[in-house]
Amino acid sequence: MENTIKSIIDKYEGDKGFLVPVLQDVQKELNYLPREALDLVSSILEVPISYIFEVATFYKAFSLDPRGRIQMQLCKGTACHVRGVPLIIDHVERELNIKEGETTENLEYTFETVNCLGACALGPIMVVNGEYHGQMNIAKTSRLLKKLAKESEKSEEGKS
Ligand code: FES
C-alpha cells in the first residue's frame, strides 16, 4: 500500500494543497480510505491526521468503510419508487445476501440506494460503477447480477 500512496502523492509533487485529489485517487485505487492509507498520507504530506479525517468525513464521496469493487446504486426517488424499486431492493438484497447500504464480505459488491438521479423518465435507474442502467425491473436486475457475477469470476481467474 505504501508504494501506491507514495506514487499518488508524487503525482501532485507532494503538495499538501492537493489533499482532496490525493484522497480521491487513494479511494479510486483502494475503493475506500483505510486508516493505514490516511496515516501514510498524513506522514508524507505532513498534514495532521485530525485534519485528514475532517476532510474525509466532510465529503460524502469519501468512504472510511470498506467498499466493494462493484458499486451498485439504485435510485429510490419517487418516480423510480413507484415503478417497483422496493421489489428490486428485496431482490438485490436476497441475491447478494446483504442489506441496502452494506458491502459483501468478499468486498465484491456494495449496494446502496440514492435519491433522484435526474433521469426519472428512464427509471428505475441502477448505476453500476458509474454506468447507468435504465428501466430496471426484477428480470433485468437478475440478468445484470448474473453478468456481474460472471465478470467477477473471470477477474478472479485472471488473478490466479
Ligand atoms: S426518481 Fe429516480 S431518477 Fe428521478
PDB file of all heavy atoms in Angstrom, residues 4-33:
ATOM      1  N   THR A   4       1.785   2.574  -3.394  1.00  0.00           N
ATOM      2  CA  THR A   4       0.629   3.169  -4.081  1.00  0.00           C
ATOM      3  C   THR A   4       0.426   4.597  -3.593  1.00  0.00           C
ATOM      4  O   THR A   4       0.264   5.530  -4.388  1.00  0.00           O
ATOM      5  CB  THR A   4      -0.650   2.337  -3.760  1.00  0.00           C
ATOM      6  OG1 THR A   4      -0.387   0.986  -4.060  1.00  0.00           O
ATOM      7  CG2 THR A   4      -1.843   2.825  -4.523  1.00  0.00           C
ATOM      8  N   ILE A   5       0.460   4.768  -2.281  1.00  0.00           N
ATOM      9  CA  ILE A   5       0.218   6.100  -1.706  1.00  0.00           C
ATOM     10  C   ILE A   5       1.333   7.057  -2.132  1.00  0.00           C
ATOM     11  O   ILE A   5       1.075   8.191  -2.539  1.00  0.00           O
ATOM     12  CB  ILE A   5       0.150   6.026  -0.152  1.00  0.00           C
ATOM     13  CG1 ILE A   5      -0.874   4.993   0.309  1.00  0.00           C
ATOM     14  CG2 ILE A   5      -0.113   7.409   0.465  1.00  0.00           C
ATOM     15  CD1 ILE A   5      -2.306   5.299   0.017  1.00  0.00           C
ATOM     16  N   LYS A   6       2.570   6.547  -2.072  1.00  0.00           N
ATOM     17  CA  LYS A   6       3.705   7.419  -2.451  1.00  0.00           C
ATOM     18  C   LYS A   6       3.578   7.874  -3.897  1.00  0.00           C
ATOM     19  O   LYS A   6       3.796   9.036  -4.219  1.00  0.00           O
ATOM     20  CB  LYS A   6       5.030   6.671  -2.258  1.00  0.00           C
ATOM     21  CG  LYS A   6       5.541   6.751  -0.837  1.00  0.00           C
ATOM     22  CD  LYS A   6       6.914   6.119  -0.753  1.00  0.00           C
ATOM     23  CE  LYS A   6       7.381   6.129   0.694  1.00  0.00           C
ATOM     24  NZ  LYS A   6       8.321   5.052   0.973  1.00  0.00           N
ATOM     25  N   SER A   7       3.210   6.942  -4.785  1.00  0.00           N
ATOM     26  CA  SER A   7       3.156   7.342  -6.201  1.00  0.00           C
ATOM     27  C   SER A   7       2.001   8.313  -6.454  1.00  0.00           C
ATOM     28  O   SER A   7       2.116   9.212  -7.291  1.00  0.00           O
ATOM     29  CB  SER A   7       3.145   6.136  -7.142  1.00  0.00           C
ATOM     30  OG  SER A   7       1.915   5.500  -7.081  1.00  0.00           O
ATOM     31  N   ILE A   8       0.907   8.176  -5.704  1.00  0.00           N
ATOM     32  CA  ILE A   8      -0.192   9.141  -5.862  1.00  0.00           C
ATOM     33  C   ILE A   8       0.281  10.522  -5.403  1.00  0.00           C
ATOM     34  O   ILE A   8       0.081  11.532  -6.089  1.00  0.00           O
ATOM     35  CB  ILE A   8      -1.439   8.687  -5.051  1.00  0.00           C
ATOM     36  CG1 ILE A   8      -2.077   7.459  -5.708  1.00  0.00           C
ATOM     37  CG2 ILE A   8      -2.458   9.828  -4.930  1.00  0.00           C
ATOM     38  CD1 ILE A   8      -3.187   6.797  -4.897  1.00  0.00           C
ATOM     39  N   ILE A   9       0.951  10.560  -4.267  1.00  0.00           N
ATOM     40  CA  ILE A   9       1.401  11.859  -3.732  1.00  0.00           C
ATOM     41  C   ILE A   9       2.465  12.484  -4.652  1.00  0.00           C
ATOM     42  O   ILE A   9       2.464  13.697  -4.879  1.00  0.00           O
ATOM     43  CB  ILE A   9       1.887  11.689  -2.278  1.00  0.00           C
ATOM     44  CG1 ILE A   9       0.667  11.390  -1.388  1.00  0.00           C
ATOM     45  CG2 ILE A   9       2.622  12.929  -1.779  1.00  0.00           C
ATOM     46  CD1 ILE A   9       0.961  11.088   0.053  1.00  0.00           C
ATOM     47  N   ASP A  10       3.319  11.635  -5.217  1.00  0.00           N
ATOM     48  CA  ASP A  10       4.348  12.132  -6.160  1.00  0.00           C
ATOM     49  C   ASP A  10       3.702  12.828  -7.349  1.00  0.00           C
ATOM     50  O   ASP A  10       4.214  13.813  -7.865  1.00  0.00           O
ATOM     51  CB  ASP A  10       5.204  10.970  -6.691  1.00  0.00           C
ATOM     52  CG  ASP A  10       6.264  10.581  -5.681  1.00  0.00           C
ATOM     53  OD1 ASP A  10       6.414  11.302  -4.671  1.00  0.00           O
ATOM     54  OD2 ASP A  10       6.918   9.539  -5.891  1.00  0.00           O
ATOM     55  N   LYS A  11       2.563  12.279  -7.776  1.00  0.00           N
ATOM     56  CA  LYS A  11       1.849  12.849  -8.926  1.00  0.00           C
ATOM     57  C   LYS A  11       1.510  14.318  -8.661  1.00  0.00           C
ATOM     58  O   LYS A  11       1.442  15.136  -9.567  1.00  0.00           O
ATOM     59  CB  LYS A  11       0.565  12.034  -9.135  1.00  0.00           C
ATOM     60  CG  LYS A  11       0.034  12.041 -10.527  1.00  0.00           C
ATOM     61  CD  LYS A  11      -1.050  10.995 -10.665  1.00  0.00           C
ATOM     62  CE  LYS A  11      -2.421  11.636 -10.592  1.00  0.00           C
ATOM     63  NZ  LYS A  11      -3.514  10.673 -10.530  1.00  0.00           N
ATOM     64  N   TYR A  12       1.263  14.632  -7.400  1.00  0.00           N
ATOM     65  CA  TYR A  12       0.915  16.018  -7.022  1.00  0.00           C
ATOM     66  C   TYR A  12       2.117  16.735  -6.399  1.00  0.00           C
ATOM     67  O   TYR A  12       1.980  17.705  -5.671  1.00  0.00           O
ATOM     68  CB  TYR A  12      -0.285  16.010  -6.058  1.00  0.00           C
ATOM     69  CG  TYR A  12      -1.525  15.433  -6.697  1.00  0.00           C
ATOM     70  CD1 TYR A  12      -1.906  14.116  -6.467  1.00  0.00           C
ATOM     71  CD2 TYR A  12      -2.296  16.200  -7.577  1.00  0.00           C
ATOM     72  CE1 TYR A  12      -3.033  13.576  -7.079  1.00  0.00           C
ATOM     73  CE2 TYR A  12      -3.420  15.664  -8.189  1.00  0.00           C
ATOM     74  CZ  TYR A  12      -3.783  14.355  -7.933  1.00  0.00           C
ATOM     75  OH  TYR A  12      -4.901  13.820  -8.552  1.00  0.00           O
ATOM     76  N   GLU A  13       3.310  16.181  -6.673  1.00  0.00           N
ATOM     77  CA  GLU A  13       4.580  16.754  -6.210  1.00  0.00           C
ATOM     78  C   GLU A  13       4.596  17.016  -4.708  1.00  0.00           C
ATOM     79  O   GLU A  13       5.185  18.011  -4.249  1.00  0.00           O
ATOM     80  CB  GLU A  13       4.904  18.020  -7.015  1.00  0.00           C
ATOM     81  CG  GLU A  13       5.115  17.681  -8.490  1.00  0.00           C
ATOM     82  CD  GLU A  13       5.240  18.891  -9.382  1.00  0.00           C
ATOM     83  OE1 GLU A  13       5.111  20.009  -8.872  1.00  0.00           O
ATOM     84  OE2 GLU A  13       5.463  18.677 -10.581  1.00  0.00           O
ATOM     85  N   GLY A  14       3.918  16.179  -3.967  1.00  0.00           N
ATOM     86  CA  GLY A  14       3.945  16.294  -2.508  1.00  0.00           C
ATOM     87  C   GLY A  14       3.331  17.581  -1.982  1.00  0.00           C
ATOM     88  O   GLY A  14       3.592  17.982  -0.845  1.00  0.00           O
ATOM     89  N   ASP A  15       2.491  18.213  -2.802  1.00  0.00           N
ATOM     90  CA  ASP A  15       1.891  19.494  -2.398  1.00  0.00           C
ATOM     91  C   ASP A  15       0.650  19.244  -1.541  1.00  0.00           C
ATOM     92  O   ASP A  15      -0.331  18.665  -2.004  1.00  0.00           O
ATOM     93  CB  ASP A  15       1.516  20.264  -3.683  1.00  0.00           C
ATOM     94  CG  ASP A  15       0.978  21.655  -3.376  1.00  0.00           C
ATOM     95  OD1 ASP A  15       0.547  21.890  -2.227  1.00  0.00           O
ATOM     96  OD2 ASP A  15       0.983  22.486  -4.293  1.00  0.00           O
ATOM     97  N   LYS A  16       0.700  19.677  -0.274  1.00  0.00           N
ATOM     98  CA  LYS A  16      -0.422  19.401   0.629  1.00  0.00           C
ATOM     99  C   LYS A  16      -1.705  20.125   0.229  1.00  0.00           C
ATOM    100  O   LYS A  16      -2.789  19.789   0.684  1.00  0.00           O
ATOM    101  CB  LYS A  16      -0.050  19.675   2.088  1.00  0.00           C
ATOM    102  CG  LYS A  16       0.475  21.055   2.391  1.00  0.00           C
ATOM    103  CD  LYS A  16       0.859  21.178   3.855  1.00  0.00           C
ATOM    104  CE  LYS A  16       2.246  20.605   4.066  1.00  0.00           C
ATOM    105  NZ  LYS A  16       2.823  20.874   5.357  1.00  0.00           N
ATOM    106  N   GLY A  17      -1.599  21.105  -0.664  1.00  0.00           N
ATOM    107  CA  GLY A  17      -2.772  21.801  -1.184  1.00  0.00           C
ATOM    108  C   GLY A  17      -3.645  20.874  -2.039  1.00  0.00           C
ATOM    109  O   GLY A  17      -4.787  21.184  -2.346  1.00  0.00           O
ATOM    110  N   PHE A  18      -3.063  19.742  -2.427  1.00  0.00           N
ATOM    111  CA  PHE A  18      -3.808  18.780  -3.257  1.00  0.00           C
ATOM    112  C   PHE A  18      -4.355  17.619  -2.429  1.00  0.00           C
ATOM    113  O   PHE A  18      -4.536  16.524  -2.951  1.00  0.00           O
ATOM    114  CB  PHE A  18      -2.916  18.249  -4.385  1.00  0.00           C
ATOM    115  CG  PHE A  18      -2.679  19.264  -5.470  1.00  0.00           C
ATOM    116  CD1 PHE A  18      -1.513  20.011  -5.489  1.00  0.00           C
ATOM    117  CD2 PHE A  18      -3.624  19.473  -6.458  1.00  0.00           C
ATOM    118  CE1 PHE A  18      -1.294  20.961  -6.475  1.00  0.00           C
ATOM    119  CE2 PHE A  18      -3.415  20.416  -7.459  1.00  0.00           C
ATOM    120  CZ  PHE A  18      -2.250  21.169  -7.464  1.00  0.00           C
ATOM    121  N   LEU A  19      -4.618  17.863  -1.153  1.00  0.00           N
ATOM    122  CA  LEU A  19      -5.086  16.784  -0.282  1.00  0.00           C
ATOM    123  C   LEU A  19      -6.352  16.100  -0.829  1.00  0.00           C
ATOM    124  O   LEU A  19      -6.429  14.869  -0.863  1.00  0.00           O
ATOM    125  CB  LEU A  19      -5.343  17.328   1.136  1.00  0.00           C
ATOM    126  CG  LEU A  19      -5.904  16.311   2.120  1.00  0.00           C
ATOM    127  CD1 LEU A  19      -4.944  15.146   2.325  1.00  0.00           C
ATOM    128  CD2 LEU A  19      -6.219  16.975   3.460  1.00  0.00           C
ATOM    129  N   VAL A  20      -7.331  16.900  -1.284  1.00  0.00           N
ATOM    130  CA  VAL A  20      -8.585  16.293  -1.753  1.00  0.00           C
ATOM    131  C   VAL A  20      -8.346  15.398  -2.981  1.00  0.00           C
ATOM    132  O   VAL A  20      -8.753  14.228  -2.979  1.00  0.00           O
ATOM    133  CB  VAL A  20      -9.684  17.359  -2.002  1.00  0.00           C
ATOM    134  CG1 VAL A  20     -10.910  16.751  -2.680  1.00  0.00           C
ATOM    135  CG2 VAL A  20     -10.107  17.989  -0.666  1.00  0.00           C
ATOM    136  N   PRO A  21      -7.646  15.904  -4.031  1.00  0.00           N
ATOM    137  CA  PRO A  21      -7.371  14.989  -5.152  1.00  0.00           C
ATOM    138  C   PRO A  21      -6.552  13.772  -4.750  1.00  0.00           C
ATOM    139  O   PRO A  21      -6.758  12.678  -5.292  1.00  0.00           O
ATOM    140  CB  PRO A  21      -6.598  15.849  -6.163  1.00  0.00           C
ATOM    141  CG  PRO A  21      -6.727  17.246  -5.720  1.00  0.00           C
ATOM    142  CD  PRO A  21      -7.259  17.283  -4.322  1.00  0.00           C
ATOM    143  N   VAL A  22      -5.643  13.935  -3.783  1.00  0.00           N
ATOM    144  CA  VAL A  22      -4.859  12.777  -3.324  1.00  0.00           C
ATOM    145  C   VAL A  22      -5.811  11.741  -2.726  1.00  0.00           C
ATOM    146  O   VAL A  22      -5.773  10.559  -3.069  1.00  0.00           O
ATOM    147  CB  VAL A  22      -3.787  13.202  -2.270  1.00  0.00           C
ATOM    148  CG1 VAL A  22      -3.249  11.985  -1.515  1.00  0.00           C
ATOM    149  CG2 VAL A  22      -2.639  13.954  -2.945  1.00  0.00           C
ATOM    150  N   LEU A  23      -6.721  12.210  -1.863  1.00  0.00           N
ATOM    151  CA  LEU A  23      -7.669  11.272  -1.238  1.00  0.00           C
ATOM    152  C   LEU A  23      -8.589  10.640  -2.285  1.00  0.00           C
ATOM    153  O   LEU A  23      -8.927   9.459  -2.201  1.00  0.00           O
ATOM    154  CB  LEU A  23      -8.499  11.975  -0.149  1.00  0.00           C
ATOM    155  CG  LEU A  23      -7.715  12.478   1.071  1.00  0.00           C
ATOM    156  CD1 LEU A  23      -8.652  13.166   2.061  1.00  0.00           C
ATOM    157  CD2 LEU A  23      -6.947  11.362   1.756  1.00  0.00           C
ATOM    158  N   GLN A  24      -8.969  11.437  -3.290  1.00  0.00           N
ATOM    159  CA  GLN A  24      -9.821  10.883  -4.360  1.00  0.00           C
ATOM    160  C   GLN A  24      -9.089   9.738  -5.068  1.00  0.00           C
ATOM    161  O   GLN A  24      -9.668   8.699  -5.346  1.00  0.00           O
ATOM    162  CB  GLN A  24     -10.167  11.969  -5.385  1.00  0.00           C
ATOM    163  CG  GLN A  24     -11.300  12.875  -4.926  1.00  0.00           C
ATOM    164  CD  GLN A  24     -11.517  14.037  -5.884  1.00  0.00           C
ATOM    165  OE1 GLN A  24     -10.554  14.593  -6.429  1.00  0.00           O
ATOM    166  NE2 GLN A  24     -12.760  14.422  -6.075  1.00  0.00           N
ATOM    167  N   ASP A  25      -7.805   9.972  -5.358  1.00  0.00           N
ATOM    168  CA  ASP A  25      -7.032   8.938  -6.063  1.00  0.00           C
ATOM    169  C   ASP A  25      -6.837   7.704  -5.189  1.00  0.00           C
ATOM    170  O   ASP A  25      -6.873   6.580  -5.687  1.00  0.00           O
ATOM    171  CB  ASP A  25      -5.666   9.495  -6.504  1.00  0.00           C
ATOM    172  CG  ASP A  25      -5.805  10.460  -7.671  1.00  0.00           C
ATOM    173  OD1 ASP A  25      -6.955  10.736  -8.085  1.00  0.00           O
ATOM    174  OD2 ASP A  25      -4.769  10.947  -8.171  1.00  0.00           O
ATOM    175  N   VAL A  26      -6.616   7.934  -3.886  1.00  0.00           N
ATOM    176  CA  VAL A  26      -6.431   6.791  -2.981  1.00  0.00           C
ATOM    177  C   VAL A  26      -7.717   5.966  -2.964  1.00  0.00           C
ATOM    178  O   VAL A  26      -7.702   4.745  -3.072  1.00  0.00           O
ATOM    179  CB  VAL A  26      -6.072   7.261  -1.542  1.00  0.00           C
ATOM    180  CG1 VAL A  26      -6.085   6.085  -0.570  1.00  0.00           C
ATOM    181  CG2 VAL A  26      -4.710   7.954  -1.531  1.00  0.00           C
ATOM    182  N   GLN A  27      -8.857   6.675  -2.885  1.00  0.00           N
ATOM    183  CA  GLN A  27     -10.127   5.949  -2.841  1.00  0.00           C
ATOM    184  C   GLN A  27     -10.384   5.191  -4.148  1.00  0.00           C
ATOM    185  O   GLN A  27     -10.893   4.082  -4.152  1.00  0.00           O
ATOM    186  CB  GLN A  27     -11.280   6.903  -2.543  1.00  0.00           C
ATOM    187  CG  GLN A  27     -12.615   6.190  -2.630  1.00  0.00           C
ATOM    188  CD  GLN A  27     -13.673   6.767  -1.732  1.00  0.00           C
ATOM    189  OE1 GLN A  27     -13.513   6.849  -0.540  1.00  0.00           O
ATOM    190  NE2 GLN A  27     -14.763   7.174  -2.331  1.00  0.00           N
ATOM    191  N   LYS A  28     -10.002   5.819  -5.252  1.00  0.00           N
ATOM    192  CA  LYS A  28     -10.181   5.176  -6.558  1.00  0.00           C
ATOM    193  C   LYS A  28      -9.368   3.873  -6.607  1.00  0.00           C
ATOM    194  O   LYS A  28      -9.823   2.858  -7.109  1.00  0.00           O
ATOM    195  CB  LYS A  28      -9.695   6.129  -7.642  1.00  0.00           C
ATOM    196  CG  LYS A  28     -10.380   5.958  -8.960  1.00  0.00           C
ATOM    197  CD  LYS A  28     -10.070   7.139  -9.825  1.00  0.00           C
ATOM    198  CE  LYS A  28     -10.413   6.891 -11.244  1.00  0.00           C
ATOM    199  NZ  LYS A  28      -9.791   7.887 -12.109  1.00  0.00           N
ATOM    200  N   GLU A  29      -8.187   3.940  -6.066  1.00  0.00           N
ATOM    201  CA  GLU A  29      -7.277   2.799  -6.085  1.00  0.00           C
ATOM    202  C   GLU A  29      -7.714   1.692  -5.130  1.00  0.00           C
ATOM    203  O   GLU A  29      -7.673   0.516  -5.463  1.00  0.00           O
ATOM    204  CB  GLU A  29      -5.885   3.319  -5.687  1.00  0.00           C
ATOM    205  CG  GLU A  29      -4.726   2.444  -6.054  1.00  0.00           C
ATOM    206  CD  GLU A  29      -4.569   2.242  -7.556  1.00  0.00           C
ATOM    207  OE1 GLU A  29      -4.698   3.210  -8.343  1.00  0.00           O
ATOM    208  OE2 GLU A  29      -4.355   1.089  -7.935  1.00  0.00           O
ATOM    209  N   LEU A  30      -8.158   2.068  -3.915  1.00  0.00           N
ATOM    210  CA  LEU A  30      -8.431   1.074  -2.868  1.00  0.00           C
ATOM    211  C   LEU A  30      -9.930   0.882  -2.602  1.00  0.00           C
ATOM    212  O   LEU A  30     -10.306   0.098  -1.752  1.00  0.00           O
ATOM    213  CB  LEU A  30      -7.734   1.490  -1.559  1.00  0.00           C
ATOM    214  CG  LEU A  30      -6.220   1.763  -1.651  1.00  0.00           C
ATOM    215  CD1 LEU A  30      -5.696   2.314  -0.334  1.00  0.00           C
ATOM    216  CD2 LEU A  30      -5.469   0.493  -2.017  1.00  0.00           C
ATOM    217  N   ASN A  31     -10.771   1.651  -3.308  1.00  0.00           N
ATOM    218  CA  ASN A  31     -12.238   1.608  -3.160  1.00  0.00           C
ATOM    219  C   ASN A  31     -12.743   2.277  -1.882  1.00  0.00           C
ATOM    220  O   ASN A  31     -13.933   2.455  -1.695  1.00  0.00           O
ATOM    221  CB  ASN A  31     -12.797   0.186  -3.219  1.00  0.00           C
ATOM    222  CG  ASN A  31     -12.766  -0.352  -4.613  1.00  0.00           C
ATOM    223  OD1 ASN A  31     -12.859   0.409  -5.572  1.00  0.00           O
ATOM    224  ND2 ASN A  31     -12.610  -1.644  -4.745  1.00  0.00           N
ATOM    225  N   TYR A  32     -11.858   2.562  -0.937  1.00  0.00           N
ATOM    226  CA  TYR A  32     -12.233   3.312   0.260  1.00  0.00           C
ATOM    227  C   TYR A  32     -10.964   3.886   0.869  1.00  0.00           C
ATOM    228  O   TYR A  32      -9.878   3.733   0.305  1.00  0.00           O
ATOM    229  CB  TYR A  32     -13.006   2.422   1.235  1.00  0.00           C
ATOM    230  CG  TYR A  32     -12.195   1.447   2.057  1.00  0.00           C
ATOM    231  CD1 TYR A  32     -12.067   1.609   3.429  1.00  0.00           C
ATOM    232  CD2 TYR A  32     -11.570   0.350   1.473  1.00  0.00           C
ATOM    233  CE1 TYR A  32     -11.346   0.709   4.202  1.00  0.00           C
ATOM    234  CE2 TYR A  32     -10.853  -0.544   2.243  1.00  0.00           C
ATOM    235  CZ  TYR A  32     -10.742  -0.368   3.597  1.00  0.00           C
ATOM    236  OH  TYR A  32     -10.037  -1.249   4.355  1.00  0.00           O
ATOM    237  N   LEU A  33     -11.094   4.562   2.006  1.00  0.00           N
ATOM    238  CA  LEU A  33      -9.925   5.186   2.616  1.00  0.00           C
ATOM    239  C   LEU A  33      -9.578   4.448   3.918  1.00  0.00           C
ATOM    240  O   LEU A  33     -10.096   4.793   4.985  1.00  0.00           O
ATOM    241  CB  LEU A  33     -10.207   6.668   2.919  1.00  0.00           C
ATOM    242  CG  LEU A  33     -10.542   7.550   1.700  1.00  0.00           C
ATOM    243  CD1 LEU A  33     -10.930   8.961   2.142  1.00  0.00           C
ATOM    244  CD2 LEU A  33      -9.351   7.619   0.744  1.00  0.00           C
TER     245      LEU A  33
END
